[in-house]
Amino acid sequence: MGQFINDRRGDPRYGWPPEDISQATVRPGCLVHVVDLSAGGALVQAARPLRPGARLHFHLVLRRRTFGLVAQVLRCAVWKMDSREGLTYRGALQFQERCEFFREHGSPSGSHLPAAAGTNDSNSGIAYPRNDRADETFDSRSAE
């Protein structure tokens, strides 16, 4: 107790809209579900285990682009046990070469950020209510 947990991530990770991913596989032919991506790697789920230390080919088909990346399996563990679907494994992949496209897509310019409460600048984002009562609705126009 009282120990800090080290974050092993070298890059920020971004969730990817599932409708944008047509298919994701690790060769030879194992379908995977992409949990999140970064410029340096991916977190995936699969129906079979991925051997830590193994080098593999990660093939990702997006709506507008296709990627073929060499990756190394950093870790893999049982993530879920289901009586009908069996075991699901979750594994971390580290790309041999960084793919900056994932970082650029995950942090688009012009993202809406919350503004300080009470601002009336139209470019400052959405003001959040000062109280956290769930039964009240908040209209940003009335916060001026």
Side-chain angles (χ1 to χ4, degrees):
M1 274 183 83
Q3 295 179 348
F4 292 103
I5 297 174
N6 292 331
D7 189 1
R8 297 178 289 215
R9 299 176 183 173
D11 295 300
R13 295 205 178 255
Y14 305 100
W16 206 273
E19 61 273 7
D20 283 355
I21 299 175
S22 299
Q23 185 179 28
T25 58
V26 291
R27 297 283 184 221
C30 175
L31 287 172
V32 295
H33 168 75
V34 177
V35 177
D36 59 31
L37 292 165
S38 75
L43 186 62
V44 298
Q45 289 183 186
R48 68 175 202 184
L50 303 172
R51 187 172 46 90
R55 287 176 41 115
L56 47 81
H57 181 79
F58 178 63
H59 186 75
L60 181 64
V61 180
L62 301 176
R63 187 184 314 175
R64 295 189 179 113
R65 278 184 91 165
T66 299
F67 296 91
L69 302 163
V70 176
Q72 180 178 7
V73 179
L74 297 179
R75 62 187 172 279
C76 183
V78 173
W79 184 252
K80 181 173 75 169
M81 292 187 285
D82 186 278
S83 60
R84 286 182 240 137
E85 297 176 18
L87 295 174
T88 300
Y89 297 89
R90 184 172 274 197
L93 308 178
Q94 180 179 27
F95 302 143
Q96 183 175 331
E97 294 182 21
R98 296 175 57 80
C99 184
E100 295 300 328
F101 175 81
F102 299 142
R103 183 185 58 81
E104 292 166 5
H105 176 79
S107 58
S109 60
S111 297
H112 295 289
L113 298 174
T119 63
N120 57 6
D121 180 11
S122 62
N123 294 326
S124 62
I126 302 167
Y128 289 121
R130 291 179 188 248
N131 62 21
D132 57 351
R133 292 180 51 187
D135 59 336
E136 292 183 12
T137 59
F138 180 76
D139 183 7
S140 63
R141 292 173 294 209
S142 65
E144 297 177 0

